[in-house]
Structure formats: structure tokens, C-alpha cells
Amino acid sequence: MAANAPALTFFALFLPFLASVLAPFLTRRLGDRAAWVLAAAPALAFAHFCTFLPEIAAGEVVTGGYAWAPSFNLSFSWFLDGLSLTFALLITGIGTLIVVYSGGYMKGHEGQGRFMAFILAFMGAMLGLVVSDSFLMLFVYWELTSITSFLLIGFDHEREAARRAALQALVVTGGGGLCLLAGLVFLWNITGVTQLSLLVHLGDGLRQSPFYLATLLLVLAGAFTKSAQFPFHFWLPNAMEAPTPVSAYLHSATMVKAGVYLLMRLNPVMGQTPAWMILLPFFGGITLIAGTFLAVRQTDLKLMLAYTTMASLGLLVMLTGFGSAHAVEAAVLYLVAHSLFKGALFMVAGTVDHEAGTRDVTKLGGLRAAMPVTFGAALLAALSMGGLPLFFGFLAKEEIYAALATGNPRAVFFTGLAVIGNALMFAIAFAVALKPFLGPHVETPKHAHEGPVTLWLGPVVLSVLGLAAALFSGLAHRYVSSPMASAITTQKIVIDISTMPHLGVPLLLSVITVLLGALAFWRLTDLRALMVRAVESLGPGPDRGFDHFVSGLVRLSGAVTRLVQPGRLEIYITATFILLAVTLLVPPFLFGELPAMPMWPKQLLVQEAAFFAIAVIGLIAVLRAKDRLTAIVSLGIQGFAVAVIFLLFGAPDLSFTQFMVETLSVVILALVMTRLRLSPRDHRPLGQTLFDGTIAVACGLGFTLLLLKSTEAPFDTLLTDFFNAYSKTVAHGANVVNVIIVDFRGTDTLGEIAVVMVTALAVLALIRVRAGKKVADDKMETRR
Amino acid sequence: MEALFSILIGLFFAAAIYLLLSKHTVRILLGVVLLGNAVNLTLFTTGRLTREVPPIIPAGMDTLSSNAANPLPQALILTAIVISFSFFAFLLVLTYRAYQELGTDDTDEMRLAEPRDEQLPPLGY
Amino acid sequence: MNTLILRTVAPFLTALMLLFSVFVLLRGHNEPGGGFIGGLIAASALAIYGIAFGVPAVRRAIRFHPMAIAGAGLLLATLSGLVSIVSGVPFMTGLWVYPVVFEVEVPLATVMSFDIGVYLVVVGAITSIALALEQEPGSDAEGGD
């Protein structure tokens, strides 16, 4: 590798974000042609990651990064092995095609720039997710994909359905992300490392930890929500509200596989335990069957594909949890195959929708003549999805059956699930690929014809890749499948399955699958009606539950808010001061920390006693004032008494300041009070007076005790000595108070005068802003 | 001496808090002023008390005489007085403007931010 | 408040107080006084003048908007702190120079300009509040209470 490889990798990771920022400007300048320019970003990143292929295939691992917050042991670091490299290639490769496709699909849409920015930002987040080494980076990117997914699903934000779907996806996947964060913190606490690359060798300690199950459940919550496993699957079909490029990219090829990625990544450290090998296949299996059954029910092309995506994710989770090396190989092959054919089929569905104006499979037919290229791509992709020989999907399916058909009862059960699931997926694949194109011509809302190159390039490339990867399976295995499977199992695995059918149980199961699938395809209409009835008889699902959850949450927060914030200031203040009194009084009594009996001062001077008395009289007068003038004057009395007390105890600066402030206070109080027609006498009933009085006296007592106690302790003169020693000698000032203010603590004072200035601005603003009109200062007339 | 101050400060706090517990904004305002004085006196007392000798270094000397007052709390209080005053002015104007706009100084009547019959936020999406 | 006595005394009182405030400000480093106190005295002086002759008279007398004075003060204070950065010592370090003017050594320091900044902020801000409150009801002929 070149010497500056880390910088290049960093740049490659950053490139999609850069393109995202530029997207709106470029789109404004170039229109839909901007897509070609923007596609260069993922294409370059793809090329960069391709250069790692030989190295990774040789079994090496590439790490790199930069210190981020070294004091917290945080770094921005990446980690490339077979697993992350394959994902990175899928993300950037399919991403390139998707960006081009978006250029055609969103052509003329006013929000095209925004759309491009979102999808490129998602790409950067997803790429970061799969190459992240540190836990924190993984989590940040994980949530970033949730957020960008939210933005993309809600792209058409003027429709309520889109808003609901976006929020739902965010709540489910974002909530799962928080569980994942908790799980990562557990991992960190148990193992003491914060990097995935270091975690690999610490699996034994982790599996024996008493917190293993809690960690596993939290991580699974993250992975299952992201990868739409039952019972969190409902957000995925709803996410089809997003424009089709998003569905093709996020909700089939990349983001939803993040959960699977995480499980594969953690397989060496958390796998091979009973919990892992029960939970994953169980939920994966349910998701597989539920997904295919629900897919059959649909007539919308995108929804059919969405449910099969869910089913495929279930299959992947099931295989990952199965534990055997064979199962991992199968998962790897299926993951790659799925990304290729599902991405292609989604784009086909989008093209059909774009050109014909509908994606309802019952309203489409006979488009083969009008859209031959799209039809060809669809057919190739469907053959791969159906798992027919010569296609990569076939390899995957053979490997699945080889992994599952090991003879024990558990395996037989899951083999049965896989056969049924695959058969139904076969039927759906051909329903999507054949129904719109074959048969008699059906009149569609738009006059259909072949789309521009941007619309067919993606599906063609991906579906041809599905064929090529199988034909040149040696190459594909050497550079992609084998390193990836090795990374997941941490053993050296060489995958050598090729398109040559070899007799055995897997082939037999394949034949059964195809036959069952063909039967299902032939009777699809009857099957659909059956499923619609079956699903209806099941009653409301988790999708309805989400609505209840959201409205319940709003009601609950409303109730809590009304309880703790009833809107009466009095209650807030009362609560605050009761708490203050308790804080001040309870600990001294509880821990026996009461101060000693205070001593009467030995020689109390007459003038001191007098001003103490005046201050107290001032206080009482303020409390008992019957009209506003008395209140103002009494307030002045206590203020001046305080000023004199300052003077008597060696603080002339304070004294003068206090005098000035009291004078100004009285003046402005008088200015304002004369304009208020209020009686400052408050009308508290006797009970209220006693209650408030008790709180006030308790707080006062608390402060007295606190002060008595704290002044009992010997005085620490450290700071005072410092100021005393350096005031004259270093700061050249004899008035130590002033030297502290303007020199030693000058920065503090700077902040304080800024505060004074801001309050003055706020006062001006308050006075000038009138209800409904703003009066300029200059126009004001003075009352003479 | 500190003991006497502690008791005086307790009285200041009690009076301030009693006023703060009122429903009427004007009395709350008076309570805020008293609270400021109470806190300043607390700072003053915790720095220990000395009679009459201000913390000013006499001419010809390099340090304070040994019986001089502690300068640090004074510096803290001095800025605090000015800041409390500007906040007092702000609160006064706030009270005044609230009275002009709402026609009341009773905090129970000021329900603009938290209306009595507050509706739930919309339940849709 | 608008009595003959006040109107007669006010100009002298204001002038004296302003002069006194500057005196208090400048002696603050070695004797009781300083920017905060000086600023408060000056603000009171202007407030008295405003009560006697009305707000427009004060505004004419001080030429600048009080908030502009406060802003200039904040700027001066900040710059005084920044000078030390330029000189290569930490922010807010006091720097002293002793130029000799007419054969008298005059000590000048960034702390002094900082204190002047404090003075200006306090004068500006408090005067602005006081004037706003003194002036307010005149504009309020139709609204309010």
C-alpha cells in the first residue's frame, strides 16, 4: 500500500458527506445531470476499497485511524477485514448505481437536490458504520443511518403516511440504537476494550460473564430493530413510502443489513452459546415465514419486495445464529446475492412505476415490448432470487441447504422453514419479474416506454453481476465470500461451491423448492386471497400497536406535565423552598453536625447594635408594609443599614456601592410603582401565612445553622494570603479589593460587565416591544 | 460577632423567602432584593469579620496590616451587588410590562404559557 | 418631582457628581473606589438630571445612546485584556508603562483602561435602564393602565 493510505481511506470515508454537501448546489446548476457527477464520489470510494481486495483475501486486516479524544481513549479508527470490506464494496458499488438511478427517477422533482444530499449522507453514515472500529463511532454512525433513513422516508413530507412511516422507522430503529449503546457499554465494561478489533480475542471471558445474557439481549434489540426482525418488522413495509431509490438502497441492500452485519461481527465473541443459537434461529425463522406469507398477500410491487426483504433478513439471522461454519458460508453467499438481486428488482419496480404510472401488479401486463431492457434485467434478477442454476442465488441456496440438512431434528425443522420460505420467495420473484411484462397488454395510467439509461443501468449491472459472480465463482469466492466468512468465524474458510449442480440432498431440496415455488406462482391469486383472509383473522398487528404507543406516550406526557407543572408559580416556589429547608435542616440533625451554642460577642459597639436593629426593623417594615410607598422606603432602610454594616466592618467599597445601588433602586422602584395601580399588601389567608411563614423560618434557621457551623471551622487564609502578598508587589495596587476585581479576577469581571450590559439590553427590549406595535425610542414623547 | 451575623442573615433569608412565596409579583420582587442582600452578607461573614480596617495597603508598606479585613469576599460581593441591581431592574420592568399586558400582578392569573385548559398536542403524525 | 429647587440645583449636582465619579474611578486602584462605584455615581447623576429636565435633555447632553457607551466600555475592557495576548502573556495580565509627561512620571496600565471599561459599561447600562423607565409613560398615552 502507499504510504498515505490512511489519509486516503479517511478521505474515502468522508467523500460521500462531501458530495452530500455539494449535492444541492450541483443539482441547481446541472439539474438531473448532477447525478453523474455525484456518482463519482461513491465510485471513487469503491475504487479505493477495491485496492484492499488482494490484501484482505490474503487474510490480513487493515486498521487505521486518528486519535479523537485521547484522554477518553476515543479514536476515529477503522478496521477492514473480509466482512467490513465486502459491506463497504456493496455500499459504495450499489451506491454509485443508486445515485445514477436517482438522477433519472427524481428528474424534474423540485426536491432533487435535497434528496441527493440525504442519500449521499446516508451512504457516508452506512460506510462509516461498517468500517468503524471503536464502539462509539459504531454507535454514532448507527444512529446517523437511522436519522438519514428518517429523512429519506419522510422525504415526501406533505403526505401523512410518509410522516408516520418516517417517525415509526426512527422510533423503532433509533430506540434499538439506544439499546445497542447500552449493550456496547456492557461490552466495554466486561472486556475493558472499546475497539471491535481488540474484542475478537476476548470472547471467552465475555461468554462466561454474568452479564452476558443482558448484553446479548441489548445487542439483539439493536440488531433486530434495524434488520426488521419479528416483532419489530412493521416499520420496513411502511418505509416503502420513501421514493424507490431509497427502498432499493436503504431498505433492501444496505441499511437493514446493518443488524445482520452487527450479528456477524459479534459472532466470534458472543456466538456459540445456547442463548445465541436459540434466539437467533427462532426469531429469524419466524421472520422468514411471516415475511413470505405477508409478501404473498400484497399486490403492490414494492410491498411484495419489502416483505421478501424482511423474509431474507430473517433467513440471514437464522443462518448467522445457526453456528456452523457451513451456515456462515451460506449467510455470506445469500447476503451478497440478496443485495444484488433485490437492489435490481426494486429498481425495476421503480422504473415500471415511473414509466407506467402504477405498481399494482394486477393492473400491469404486457410491458415486455415497451420495456425490453428492464424486462431482461428483471428476469435475470428473478432467476437469481428464485435460486436457479447459473446464478449466484443458486449457490447461496445450495449452501443454505447444505448447512441446514445435517440430519438432527432441529435442523430438519429449520430446513422445512427454509424450503417453504424459499419457495414463496421464488413465486414472488417471478410475480414481480414476469407479471408486469408478460401476458396481454394492460392499459396503464401512463403510456409506458423504456426509461432513459439512468433508469436501466442500475438493474442491468446488478442482475448481470448476479450471473457473472456465479459463472466466475472462483474469483468471487476468493476475493469476497471466503474472506468474509473467515472474518465472521475467525477461522480460515475456503468456499468452493460453483454452479455445477452436484447430486445430493441440497440439490434435491432445491428441486423441491422450485417445484413448490412454481406451484405457488401458478396459483398465486388463490394464495393471495387465502393470505388476506388469514391475516385479517389474526386481528391488528404491531403496526396498529405503534399508533397506540405513540398516542399513549403523548397522553402520558400530557398527564405528567399537568401533574408537575400545574401552571401555578406559587407551587413551584413552595416546592423549591420546602426542599431547600429539608436539605439545610435534615442532615445536621441526622448526623449530629449541629454548631456549638453561639457566644455573645464580647464587646458589641453601640453603633453596630443600632444598625443591626435598623436592618431588622427595615425587614419587618417591608413584610408588613400596607402601601407601596412604605414598602419602597422600608426596602431602602434595610439596604442602607446593610451598607453601614459593610462600612463598620472594613468594607468601604462595598458600602459605597451598596449606597448607590439602594438609591438607584428606590428611585426606579418609585418611578415604576407610581404607575402600577396595585396594593402591595398581600391577601394571604391565615393558614397560608402560617404555612409560608413556617417554610421561611425553617429556611432562615437552616442558613443560620449552616453559617454558625461553617464559621466555627478554622479559616483557610490561602487565597487571602496570595492576594495580600502580590497586590502591591506584582499588580501595583494598594486597594486589594479593586486589584482583585480588575486584575487577578479580571476575566470574571469582564463576564460580569457583559451580564450587566445584557440585562440593560433586555430591559430596553422589554420596554420597547409593545403588544402589536414597536415604538421607536426616538419618537417617544416625554411627559412634562 | 459571626454568630450575631448568622442570626441576622437567617432573618434576612426568612424575610426574603416569605416574600418570594407570595402570589404578587411586586412582593416577589421585594423578596429578590432581600435575597440578594442575604447572600451578600453570607459571603461577607464566611470571609470572617474585622472591624473598620479596610483592605487597603498603607503607604510605604507592601502588604496589608494584620488586622485588615479580608479583601476576597469584598471583591466578590462588589460585582454581585451591581449584577443583582441590574437583574432587579430587569425583573422590575418585567413585572411592570406583565402588569401592563395582562392587567394583573397575581401569578395565578398569569396563565399564558401554561393555560388552565391546556389541550393535548396533536395525536396525528 | 419636577420642582423649581430641583431644576435649579440639578445642573450643579450632576456636574459635581460626574466629576466626583471620575475622581472615584481613577483613585480606585489605591484608595476605596473603582469602576463599579464610579459608574454608579455617574449613572445616578444622569438619572437626577433626567428627572429634573426630562429624558431628551439627558440624551442631548450625553450625545451618544447610553447603550453605545456601554458597548464601547465592553470593547475597551476586552481590548485591555487582549493587549496582553499580543504581548505574549496570558489574557488579562496587567501591563504597566511609566511615560514621563512634563517631568512627572505617570503610571498607565491595562488594568486602568479595563477599569475605565467597567465604568463605561456600568454608566451606559444603568443610565439606559433609568432613562427608559423615566421616559416610558409619555409614549403610553393610549395604552397600558
Side-chain angles (χ1 to χ4, degrees), chain C residues 32-119:
Chain C
F36 280 107
I37 306 169
L40 285 169
I41 295 172
S44 314
L46 294 173
I48 289 172
Y49 196 74
I51 289 171
F53 293 101
V55 174
V58 182
R59 290 199 195 282
R60 274 196 302 278
I62 59 176
R63 298 181 68 105
F64 302 104
H65 191 283
M67 281 321 282
I69 296 177
L74 195 58
L75 188 68
L76 180 62
T78 314
L79 288 179
S80 310
L82 286 175
V83 168
S84 38
I85 286 194
V86 178
S87 319
V89 283
F91 183 61
M92 276 298 169
T93 309
L95 296 174
W96 292 77
V97 285
Y98 300 93
V100 177
V101 184
F102 300 123
E103 295 174 5
V104 178
E105 195 185 57
V106 182
L108 290 178
T110 55
V111 288
M112 209 174 261
S113 59
F114 181 79
D115 214 10
I116 294 171
V118 172
Y119 172 87

Side-chain angles (χ1 to χ4, degrees), chain A residues 358-483:
Chain A
T358 178
R359 14 174 240 257
D360 189 331
V361 76
T362 56
K363 292 176 185 153
L364 287 163
L367 291 174
R368 65 188 177 283
M371 307 171 72
V373 184
T374 310
F375 174 50
L379 198 60
L380 290 182
L383 288 169
S384 187
M385 182 169 168
L388 290 173
L390 292 183
F391 289 89
F392 207 63
F394 173 71
L395 304 190
K397 200 166 60 177
E398 289 295 286
E399 197 68 44
I400 291 170
Y401 290 145
L404 293 180
T406 53
N408 70 48
R410 173 169 170 264
V412 169
F413 172 71
F414 285 112
T415 312
L417 288 187
V419 170
I420 298 172
N422 274 330
L424 288 176
M425 278 201 264
F426 177 95
I428 304 280
F430 285 96
V432 171
L434 298 183
K435 280 270 163 76
F437 298 100
L438 298 181
H441 183 76
V442 177
E443 209 45 56
T444 49
K446 277 201 215 162
H447 181 68
H449 52 80
E450 191 61 77
V453 59
T454 45
L455 284 185
W456 56 254
L457 183 71
V460 166
V461 170
L462 289 182
S463 53
V464 169
L465 260 181
L467 177 62
L471 292 180
F472 303 99
S473 59
L475 220 56
H477 291 329
R478 187 169 149 215
Y479 286 113
V480 178
S481 334
S482 299

